[in-house]
Amino acid sequence: MADVLPLVEARLRSALGEPDARAAVTFLGTDRVEVLRFQEGDIVRYATLGMSAQPMADPTAVLADPVKGPRAELVLSVRSGLAETDKVLRPLAVLAASPQVEGVVVAPGASLDVGEPLWPGAPFTSVLVAEPGGLVEDLELDEPLDPVRFLPLLPMTPNEAAFKRVHGAQVLQERWLTSGTDLRDPSRRSVPLD
């Protein structure tokens, strides 16, 4: 079976350019997860590399299929120079390791919470997983492997996360859209929710 990570990194480079920094995190009992940083104008993008090495397994399955199952990497885009966003590397690696550690399947519409600010002083402790395909196209792999999807992460304030739990991801995204929310602003306030 071909190693998918070199193909994933090549897809990230073709879509986002050359990374200007990378860091690796290894958690006990999991594969190594790298986070690559790409700078484009005033936007900095952080992309995980390693989450897609293994397919995500259905947490209710008795045995995890080593071949079939969804594969993904995470991409976070924020405005640079407004906060210490480089400190997001460890929280991103934690989120990328969650399918191995907690047996969760990360999919669009899901909320992921790290339980602490994403970076020092950040008003966000969680993210909404958005639909893939806009920034980085899915990476098709040879059968029977599922494609690798590059899932954008949208930071949520605790109030937005609570609103999303009650009303759903679609309603929260509509609220962001109608309010003209800059989801890349690393220090933005919560969208009005009443």
Side-chain angles (χ1 to χ4, degrees):
M1 197 59 62
D3 184 6
V4 302
L5 295 185
L7 302 173
V8 170
E9 185 168 354
R11 175 58 54 94
L12 286 168
R13 286 172 184 264
S14 69
L16 304 176
E18 285 300 309
D20 65 355
R22 66 193 308 146
V25 180
T26 305
F27 302 101
L28 190 63
T30 67
D31 294 332
R32 170 179 146 134
V33 174
E34 288 188 87
V35 179
L36 310 183
R37 185 181 71 188
F38 300 88
Q39 186 78 40
E40 182 185 326
D42 70 336
I43 301 294
V44 62
R45 301 186 199 284
Y46 302 94
T48 63
L49 179 63
M51 182 177 170
S52 62
Q54 305 293 326
M56 292 182 273
D58 179 347
T60 62
V62 176
L63 285 175
D65 189 322
V67 177
K68 291 205 61 67
R71 293 175 189 260
E73 295 290 352
L74 308 174
V75 181
L76 174 70
S77 301
V78 291
R79 298 204 180 284
S80 61
L82 302 175
E84 288 184 82
T85 56
D86 278 352
K87 304 278 179 154
V88 77
L89 301 178
R90 185 165 179 75
L92 267 183
V94 167
L95 296 178
S98 63
Q100 284 185 55
V101 174
E102 299 171 26
V104 297
V105 175
V106 177
S111 301
L112 303 175
D113 196 319
V114 293
E116 60 186 34
L118 293 175
W119 51 83
F124 319 107
T125 60
S126 61
V127 293
L128 175 65
V129 181
E131 290 292 333
L135 187 61
V136 183
E137 285 184 36
D138 291 355
L139 173 64
E140 296 295 330
L141 300 172
D142 294 336
E143 289 290 334
L145 303 180
D146 288 21
V148 177
R149 302 170 85 197
F150 297 88
L151 302 172
L153 300 179
L154 307 175
M156 293 188 294
T157 65
N159 285 347
E160 290 170 339
F163 182 87
K164 184 255 173 196
R165 278 192 296 278
V166 173
H167 301 284
Q170 184 67 38
V171 175
L172 176 59
Q173 288 177 303
E174 288 169 8
R175 193 64 64 99
W176 281 335
L177 194 60
T178 56
S179 296
T181 305
D182 180 2
L183 295 173
R184 295 176 176 169
D185 180 350
S187 53
R188 72 172 179 83
R189 297 188 184 278
S190 183
V191 71
L193 298 170
D194 45 343

